Amino acid sequence: MKFTNNKNSIKGLWIYVVLFILIGIVGFLFLSPTFERNAPKITVEEQIYWNFQKPIKINISDDEDIKSYEILFVDGEKQVRLDTKVLKNENGSLDLEIIPPVFDEFYKPTNGVLQIHVFDTSKWNFFRGNEATKKSNIIIDKRSPIANVVTNSYLLRQGGSGVIVVEIADENLKDYYITFNDEEIFELFPFYKKGYYISIITWPVDIKEFKRVNLVAIDMANNKTVTKVPFYIKPFKEKIDQIKVSDEFVNSVSKHVLENSNMNVPSDTIEAFVKTNRELREKNVKTIKEVVRKNLANSGKIPFDVKTFTRMSNAATFAQFGERRHYFYNEQEIDQAWHLGMDWASTKRADVIVTNPGKVIFKDYLGIYGDSIIVDHGFGLASLYAHTSSQNIEVNDEVKTGDKIANTGSTGAVFGDHLHFGILIQGIEANPNEWLDYDWIKVNLTKTINDSIKIIDGTKK
């Protein structure tokens, strides 16, 4: 009887030992990094446009290490193993570049599926490791977009404006724009019929060298077409002005403008002037550009009905566009700046009338420009009215020709009552004299648009 009890005790002990071992094994399997159960992660685009020029980039990562991977191109007809190049391999992460396959001349697929299979070094899954799979749709596109210039204005002056109408076509079109010297980008707006676009551009007056104007079109596969826009060019002859800066102007105007712009005011006279004339001016010019460019999507929806702009009634011109101002304090030159608009003055608080329809996109205090208004006329063309004393409009108001929008004033970095009138081409101040000239409008704007319509309709011979 005693022997039986001992047998039962030993048997029960073995059961506990076995259970303990099993629990240990299970715990080891579940807790040991050797048997980790997290599948690798595959990062790749869901849909890929491929021109067989640039490789496809893929990232594979895992908690431990990658044991193997296979990348296939499948289109229902063939299954092709793709070549890869490992760019980075650290901390369980692989950056891969998928090199385009070489197909025979009779096999020309237009789409397919990228299949990615990955195993890690885990001993889980009966030592096979954790598996991850991912599929991406591939659209093969090796054809560059069509990008043709339909018409453009003949002459482009430094500081002046030009008009361009183009044709762009691609079933996978991603982006299209005009570039100036590869420095400035100008957006294109839908024009007249599907596949045709228009842009008004400017040669910024502070860029002396003209290299070229290009039409650029890029598709989803990054095929790119660059077409030169032909312009005859004419440099700008700047007018040099020498302006004396007084203590009175700095103390009563420059420092006041800095305060109103929430900027620190230097006590030194020269520092205060230069900070206003350089740092604040740069900030204000940047704001103007940002305001106009932020509104470009809406600018294409504004009915474009621009005629010749008109000078302010009974006003004298006190400053022209493109004056290069040299500022002197006690016979020492302390700064330089461009004057990028027209200054008109008549009586104090004279009426400011808009002479082309548009939409108000800005009404606010603007540092050296004072209380200012910007009206968008469509196609990225806008007009600026600065130094006003009062405004009769609000942002988003639609204005028509002949509407009074403000009164002249002396707000901002000025002494006397006047209006600063500016023309903005996608946020860049351009020469207003062209837009005030009936003949220039007729030859460069109206004729270019009318000629392009005839070409598009096939009626121009």
Side-chain angles (χ1 to χ4, degrees):
M1 193 74 171
K2 193 171 181 181
F3 178 75
T4 301
N5 287 338
N6 286 339
K7 250 178 113 177
N8 289 336
S9 297
I10 293 171
K11 184 177 180 181
L13 181 62
W14 272 108
I15 291 173
Y16 281 114
V17 170
V18 170
L19 284 174
F20 180 78
I21 291 172
L22 288 174
I23 291 172
I25 291 172
V26 171
F28 176 76
L29 290 175
F30 278 88
L31 299 177
S32 171
T34 306
F35 291 91
E36 62 91 12
R37 294 172 295 155
N38 296 324
K41 294 179 182 178
I42 303 171
T43 303
V44 64
E45 294 179 6
E46 297 289 336
Q47 181 159 284
I48 300 168
Y49 292 83
W50 205 5
N51 62 4
F52 279 16
Q53 298 297 317
K54 294 184 178 180
I56 297 173
K57 293 186 178 182
I58 299 174
N59 176 264
I60 301 171
S61 61
D62 190 72
D63 294 342
E64 295 299 320
D65 283 315
I66 306 299
K67 180 170 69 176
S68 65
Y69 61 84
E70 183 180 51
I71 303 172
L72 304 171
F73 173 82
V74 181
D75 76 337
E77 181 181 338
K78 282 192 175 184
Q79 179 172 292
V80 180
R81 182 173 282 102
L82 299 177
D83 292 331
T84 62
K85 182 196 298 183
V86 179
L87 300 180
K88 188 173 86 173
N89 181 5
E90 59 179 73
N91 300 325
S93 178
L94 289 177
D95 284 330
L96 306 177
E97 282 193 347
I98 309 303
I99 301 170
V102 178
F103 297 130
D104 63 59
E105 59 178 319
F106 301 107
Y107 179 54
K108 298 180 179 179
T110 58
N111 55 69
V113 175
L114 187 72
Q115 294 184 355
I116 307 169
H117 304 274
V118 183
F119 285 93
D120 64 14
T121 57
S122 172
K123 303 302 182 184
W124 187 252
N125 196 20
F126 299 102
F127 297 93
R128 291 178 65 240
N130 299 296
E131 178 184 9
T133 62
K134 192 159 188 175
K135 295 181 179 180
S136 294
N137 293 323
I138 290 183
I139 297 172
I140 298 172
D141 181 0
K142 296 190 283 184
R143 182 177 297 179
S144 297
I146 294 170
N148 299 319
V149 177
V150 178
T151 57
N152 60 277
S153 48
Y154 176 79
L155 177 67
L156 183 62
R157 294 181 175 90
Q158 182 183 358
S161 305
V163 183
I164 305 168
V165 177
V166 303
E167 175 192 17
I168 302 173
D170 191 282
E171 60 182 3
N172 301 316
L173 191 63
K174 179 173 70 174
D175 201 6
Y176 47 89
Y177 48 85
I178 302 291
T179 63
F180 178 87
N181 284 7
D182 293 325
E183 295 180 50
E184 289 288 349
I185 292 178
F186 296 93
E187 298 296 328
L188 286 154
F189 300 90
F191 173 75
Y192 190 57
K193 287 184 178 180
K194 184 178 179 181
Y196 294 91
Y197 303 86
I198 189 170
S199 185
I200 301 172
I201 71 164
T202 183
W203 174 357
V205 72
D206 58 344
I207 299 178
K208 288 192 174 183
E209 183 184 4
F210 177 93
K211 295 177 183 177
R212 61 184 290 163
V213 174
N214 286 329
L215 162 64
V216 180
I218 306 169
D219 65 18
M220 298 294 291
N222 287 320
N223 298 302
K224 186 176 183 179
T225 301
V226 178
T227 305
K228 180 181 178 180
V229 182
F231 277 112
Y232 286 91
I233 63 170
K234 188 175 182 179
F236 181 79
K237 188 176 181 179
E238 63 189 50
K239 178 180 178 290
I240 302 297
D241 272 353
Q242 295 186 354
I243 298 176
K244 292 183 179 181
V245 177
S246 66
D247 290 309
E248 180 187 2
F249 181 83
V250 174
N251 291 327
S252 61
V253 176
S254 299
K255 292 183 178 182
H256 181 64
V257 169
L258 287 173
E259 288 175 356
N260 287 344
S261 302
N262 298 316
M263 296 180 72
N264 292 330
V265 182
S267 57
D268 181 78
T269 301
I270 294 177
E271 286 183 18
F273 177 82
V274 171
K275 185 169 185 176
T276 306
N277 198 53
R278 188 181 303 172
E279 184 179 335
L280 182 56
R281 181 186 297 276
E282 183 179 334
K283 181 180 178 182
N284 298 153
V285 168
K286 183 179 178 182
T287 296
I288 291 172
K289 191 172 185 178
E290 288 176 346
V291 166
V292 176
R293 295 209 167 182
K294 185 178 179 181
N295 192 65
L296 286 181
N298 295 321
S299 186
K301 301 172 185 176
I302 297 173
F304 188 80
D305 187 26
V306 170
K307 306 295 190 298
T308 310
F309 284 82
T310 305
R311 298 173 185 273
M312 194 170 75
S313 180
N314 299 317
T317 301
F318 280 85
Q320 293 279 0
F321 172 86
E323 293 179 356
R324 186 63 178 167
R325 294 176 169 176
H326 296 248
Y327 298 91
F328 290 82
Y329 179 75
N330 291 338
E331 307 302 323
Q332 175 191 352
E333 183 172 347
I334 58 174
D335 205 11
Q336 295 182 19
W338 287 98
H339 183 257
L340 298 178
M342 307 284 290
D343 285 352
W344 295 323
S346 58
T347 58
K348 286 187 177 182
R349 298 182 62 84
D351 291 346
V352 176
I353 307 296
V354 290
T355 56
N356 268 299
K359 185 175 183 179
V360 178
I361 60 172
F362 182 84
K363 173 200 168 187
D364 206 345
Y365 183 79
L366 191 60
I368 65 169
Y369 292 89
D371 293 322
S372 302
I373 297 168
I374 299 176
V375 177
D376 191 328
H377 303 284
F379 291 162
L381 173 69
S383 51
L384 168 68
Y385 307 84
H387 308 310
T388 63
S389 59
S390 61
Q391 302 84 34
N392 301 346
I393 42 74
E394 297 296 335
V395 171
N396 293 324
D397 281 355
E398 294 182 2
V399 295
K400 59 183 184 298
T401 301
D403 282 353
K404 175 185 173 182
I405 61 170
N407 293 93
T408 61
S410 54
T411 56
V414 295
F415 249 150
D417 185 296
H418 71 275
L419 174 70
H420 173 100
F421 172 76
I423 286 290
L424 307 172
I425 308 297
Q426 299 201 18
I428 300 171
E429 286 204 69
N431 195 339
N433 285 299
E434 295 180 337
W435 295 89
L436 294 163
D437 184 340
Y438 172 82
D439 289 332
W440 186 91
I441 292 287
K442 180 181 178 181
V443 171
N444 292 275
L445 182 67
T446 308
K447 186 177 186 302
T448 302
I449 289 176
N450 290 341
D451 284 351
S452 66
I453 291 173
K454 290 177 183 178
I455 293 171
I456 293 167
D457 286 339
T459 59
K460 185 176 176 64
K461 296 180 181 180

